Amino acid sequence: MRTGRVVTYVVLIGAALLVIFPVYYVIAGSVMSPGQISSYPPDLFPHGFFTGNYKGATSSGTPIGQQYLNSVLQTSIITLSQLITSVLAAYAFVFMKMWGRTLLFGLFLATLMVPWESIVLPNYLTITSWELGGHGLTKTYAGTMIALVLPFLANAFGVFLLRQSFLQFPVELRDAATIDGAGHWRFLSRILLPLNKPALMAVGLYVFLSAWNQFFWPLLIGDSASRRTLQIGISQLNDAEAADPGLILAGVTLSILPTLAIVIFGQRFIVRGLTAGAIR
């Protein structure tokens, strides 16, 4: 028993180090001087705190600051929109009787099987052909927040996860709320959502991470560097400053800090939310 436990902990610690080391080296390398980064054998620990990499990244030709704000705004809009649409759709699938409800939910799940790469071109052609205020998106709105977030305002994964969580809700409480005169909106906002916070947090964190790490769509739809997101800016730093890896590591650090904080502080919500409905 003791030998097996020791072996288990050794394997787990080794696996954890393999996962954590790249993240550690990115953060540590972002505060290393150019000479220390290029030294051989490579240093694993910074000698002091060198801020020149961050200054160089933010003052380079790539507008990292504006792109950071674009990423924050884009991610916030997508996360909020998917939470709203997922909650309303999941509520309808569970608590509202309608013909073909099971078939319609199956069609929702079928959209998860469609690769994003196969619909990116139709999405691009559709968005750029629409007009807002008499102007086509290609002329006025290409690369703006409207074009960045429009294809991602709803997603079937959140609907599926929240539906599974809502199915665990006791039918007796729903009947009691109806007898007390609670309508759909009051029951949803006052009773159902407060009791399903783990699932809501799991959906929100999943959507946030997915939206924050988007690369291809902002690259395709953006028409200028100032209208693109942080992930695009990091790749531009790589192209423009390939001889200075410190700038690239600084940009990557700025990118992973929000996601790292969310994973660390929201891990328990992700686990509880994703396992909702596994045990009835």
Side-chain angles (χ1 to χ4, degrees), residues 61-271:
T62 303
I64 292 293
Q66 180 62 45
Q67 292 174 346
Y68 200 97
L69 293 177
N70 292 343
S71 291
V72 171
L73 183 58
Q74 175 206 20
T75 303
S76 301
I77 294 175
I78 292 176
T79 302
L80 181 61
S81 175
Q82 287 202 23
L83 279 176
I84 294 174
T85 55
S86 297
V87 165
L88 296 179
Y91 181 86
F93 280 127
V94 175
F95 295 103
M96 300 183 69
K97 296 182 179 180
M98 53 185 174
W99 181 86
R101 180 173 61 178
T102 304
L103 177 61
L104 185 59
F105 181 68
L107 293 177
F108 261 73
L109 292 184
T111 62
L112 294 175
M113 310 301 175
V114 181
W116 162 248
E117 292 79 9
S118 65
I119 61 174
V120 62
L121 183 58
N123 280 336
Y124 177 81
L125 295 177
T126 300
I127 289 178
T128 53
S129 64
W130 285 352
E131 292 187 357
L132 294 177
H135 299 281
L137 287 172
T138 52
K139 299 178 181 178
T140 307
Y141 298 97
T144 61
M145 203 53 57
I146 296 176
L148 282 174
V149 305
L150 202 54
F152 309 99
L153 297 182
N155 188 272
F157 177 78
V159 177
F160 167 73
L161 190 61
L162 290 177
R163 176 182 177 272
Q164 297 305 110
S165 180
F166 290 172
L167 285 173
Q168 298 182 88
F169 191 82
V171 179
E172 294 78 10
L173 290 180
R174 177 68 179 99
D175 296 337
T178 303
I179 293 174
D180 290 339
H184 290 297
W185 175 249
R186 185 178 179 184
F187 169 70
L188 176 65
S189 59
R190 298 285 185 88
I191 301 175
L192 189 62
L193 292 184
L195 294 177
N196 288 273
K197 287 182 179 179
L200 290 173
M201 289 293 296
V203 173
L205 295 175
Y206 172 81
V207 174
F208 182 92
L209 295 175
S210 300
W212 181 265
N213 292 320
Q214 282 185 10
F215 180 85
F216 186 64
W217 180 253
L219 177 64
L220 178 65
I221 202 69
D223 59 351
S224 64
S226 61
R227 289 186 170 185
R228 289 172 175 164
T229 56
L230 181 61
Q231 310 301 332
I232 312 301
I234 295 174
S235 66
Q236 292 173 342
L237 279 177
N238 187 22
D239 295 337
E241 305 290 347
D244 193 350
L247 300 187
I248 303 172
L249 292 177
V252 173
T253 300
L254 293 175
S255 175
I256 66 173
L257 285 180
T259 58
L260 190 62
I262 284 180
V263 170
I264 292 175
F265 294 105
Q267 181 180 6
R268 62 189 182 96
F269 293 105
I270 296 177
V271 174

